Amino acid sequence: AGVIIGAAAAVVLAVLVAGGVLVWHAVAGLGGTPQPTQSTRQQGLQQGVPGASSPATSSAPTGPAAPAGLWYGGTWVGAANQPNGVVTHWTARVTFPATGGEGTFVFPTMGCSGTLIVTVSGPTAILANEQVTSNPRGLCAPRGLLALVKSGANAMNLAWQDASDKKNVAFGHLVRSA
């Protein structure tokens, strides 16, 4: 049993590392590494978002048609896994205006919400700074880094990193919501 558990852990670790590299390469393809600033969150963007997963995707549409405007405009819902979090599995709803600008997020499982400021945007991936504005249960990190990578016409992969604890990461899959 110990050998099987060890082998399974090694496979999971390999998938997480490979997924993190793939997400970072997709994000880096947006035009290079973000330029350094005084912000801790921006420094985290330069290092990438580790622990991302690239779940298998389907070529079939998984939600309503994309509205005119930015590929990530609209509301996206799904679930995330956070191996080192107080809550290890949570739901997410991310919304961006079709014309760009500040987005919002809600993590209903943890009862927190806030704003998303896009720092890098490209045809298949974006990076955003996350700022929690409501955290009544104290379960959410106050700031985070979010990488969203397009996965088909109506889906995206999510990779999140706590701005103050680089080991605190989450990954998930979101689909466009009506």
Side-chain angles (χ1 to χ4, degrees), residues 1-9:
V3 171
I4 292 172
I5 292 172

Side-chain angles (χ1 to χ4, degrees), residues 24 27-28 32-49 119 127 145 161 166:
W24 180 244
V27 171
T33 304
Q35 295 301 309
T37 69
Q38 299 297 330
S39 168
T40 302
R41 296 185 316 197
Q42 194 70 0
Q43 291 170 3
L45 288 175
Q46 293 169 358
Q47 297 171 7
V49 181
T119 58
L127 296 176
L145 312 168
Q161 180 181 45
K166 305 296 184 229

Side-chain angles (χ1 to χ4, degrees), residues 7-30:
V11 168
V12 169
L13 180 60
V15 168
L16 290 176
V17 169
V21 168
L22 291 174
V23 168
W24 180 244
H25 283 291
V27 171
L30 296 174

Side-chain angles (χ1 to χ4, degrees), residues 60-90:
T62 56
L70 299 171
W71 71 267
Y72 58 89
T75 298
W76 304 81
V77 295
N81 293 305
Q82 185 176 355
N84 297 322
V86 174
V87 178
T88 58
H89 184 78
W90 37 270

Side-chain angles (χ1 to χ4, degrees), residues 6-166:
V11 168
V12 169
L13 180 60
V15 168
L16 290 176
V17 169
V21 168
L22 291 174
V23 168
W24 180 244
H25 283 291
V27 171
L30 296 174
T33 304
Q35 295 301 309
T37 69
Q38 299 297 330
S39 168
T40 302
R41 296 185 316 197
Q42 194 70 0
Q43 291 170 3
L45 288 175
Q46 293 169 358
Q47 297 171 7
V49 181
S53 174
S54 297
T57 60
S58 167
S59 60
T62 56
L70 299 171
W71 71 267
Y72 58 89
T75 298
W76 304 81
V77 295
N81 293 305
Q82 185 176 355
N84 297 322
V86 174
V87 178
T88 58
H89 184 78
W90 37 270
T91 56
R93 186 175 75 233
V94 175
T95 304
F96 292 99
T99 56
E102 188 173 282
T104 60
F105 70 89
V106 176
F107 301 148
T109 308
M110 296 186 288
C112 45
S113 59
T115 58
L116 296 168
I117 308 297
V118 176
T119 58
V120 178
S121 170
T124 60
I126 66 170
L127 296 176
N129 288 331
E130 170 200 89
Q131 178 68 48
V132 171
T133 57
S134 177
N135 191 9
R137 294 171 42 201
L139 295 175
C140 290
R143 295 182 333 260
L145 312 168
L146 189 65
L148 299 169
V149 179
K150 189 174 183 179
S151 173
N154 293 303
M156 64 170 71
N157 293 321
L158 167 148
W160 173 87
Q161 180 181 45
D162 184 334
S164 62
D165 180 358
K166 305 296 184 229

